[in-house]
Amino acid sequence: MKISGVDIRPGNIIEYEKGIWKVAKIQHTQPGKGGAYMQVEMKNLQDGRKTNVRFRSADTVEKVRLDTQDYQFLYEDGDMLVFMDTTNYEQINLPNDLLGDARAFLQDGMQVMLELWEEKPISVQLPQQIEAEITEADAVVKGQTASSSYKPAVLDNGVRIMVPPHIESGTRIIVDVYEQTYVGKA
């Protein structure tokens, strides 16, 4: 399926230069002069190379269709993660770095979607949003406007995110896994 260069999102698997690439990060840029473009950081799923590519809105890329299968995360074994197929209970070991930045959000027993390309697992999709607890939140600075001010906070998995001023330590919140942003109270 062809998609426009500006429609690329983190977690997408695309075909680029005869390889299969997973999009890690994107940044939409609109320079003062010239057209807008999407700066895309990608990782090759076959050999592990990383690259940064600029895609303009006129550029199109092939979004790869992958077979998906439901798995459950069981435990971590060194630098490998152990997952179980929910249909036949077979276990599979996958490298830690297959998840990228989303690794910190993986929880015991979590249901995940394993993406297979030519019967080989190449990607793990976590749920888009998870529930987490704030373990540390900075105090509110007096005089800040309530509408657009956010303060730093640390989640129970060690990830730092920005939250609204009314969120205190111990509060359970919903977090977007791939954007690593606050969504709402749990």
Side-chain angles (χ1 to χ4, degrees):
M1 175 173 84
K2 292 242 185 241
I3 60 171
S4 169
V6 293
D7 291 331
I8 297 171
R9 298 287 172 256
N12 283 161
I13 310 294
I14 62 172
E15 195 173 314
Y16 178 73
E17 293 182 345
K18 297 183 178 129
I20 302 296
W21 298 79
K22 180 172 184 171
V23 177
K25 294 179 186 169
I26 60 167
Q27 181 179 357
H28 190 263
T29 306
Q30 292 178 314
K33 188 176 182 182
Y37 60 87
M38 186 73 76
Q39 184 74 34
V40 180
E41 184 180 307
M42 305 184 296
K43 181 179 180 184
N44 189 306
L45 294 173
Q46 289 137 322
D47 57 22
R49 288 180 296 143
K50 287 187 177 180
T51 188
N52 277 313
V53 183
R54 282 184 181 180
F55 291 103
R56 301 209 174 274
S57 58
D59 298 337
T60 59
V61 291
E62 187 71 29
K63 187 174 177 186
V64 178
R65 282 262 180 236
L66 299 171
D67 296 327
T68 57
Q69 218 167 337
D70 288 325
Y71 276 78
Q72 181 179 17
F73 173 64
L74 296 179
Y75 58 91
E76 190 170 0
D77 184 19
D79 62 345
M80 300 297 275
L81 302 172
V82 180
F83 294 92
M84 177 183 68
D85 187 334
T86 55
T87 54
N88 61 14
Y89 306 108
E90 287 183 17
Q91 292 184 6
I92 185 170
N93 294 344
L94 298 173
N96 229 338
D97 61 354
L98 203 59
L99 274 83
D101 291 343
R103 166 64 187 103
F105 294 98
L106 189 63
Q107 300 167 344
D108 288 345
M110 181 179 273
Q111 296 295 320
V112 298
M113 188 75 66
L114 219 65
E115 294 175 322
L116 307 147
W117 185 62
E118 296 178 353
E119 301 298 316
K120 182 180 173 237
I122 59 168
S123 175
V124 178
Q125 287 289 110
L126 300 184
Q128 186 67 33
Q129 298 177 346
I130 62 139
E131 199 174 298
E133 187 174 331
I134 301 285
T135 57
E136 188 181 315
D138 290 357
V140 178
V141 177
K142 214 169 174 64
Q144 284 183 329
T145 58
S147 62
S148 65
S149 62
Y150 276 72
K151 64 181 184 179
V154 179
L155 300 175
D156 52 6
N157 59 9
V159 176
R160 293 184 70 84
I161 66 165
M162 299 299 282
V163 297
H166 66 273
I167 302 293
E168 299 295 326
S169 183
T171 307
R172 293 200 63 76
I173 63 168
I174 297 171
V175 180
D176 186 302
V177 171
Y178 294 100
E179 299 289 325
Q180 293 190 4
T181 55
Y182 169 84
V183 175
K185 274 188 164 182

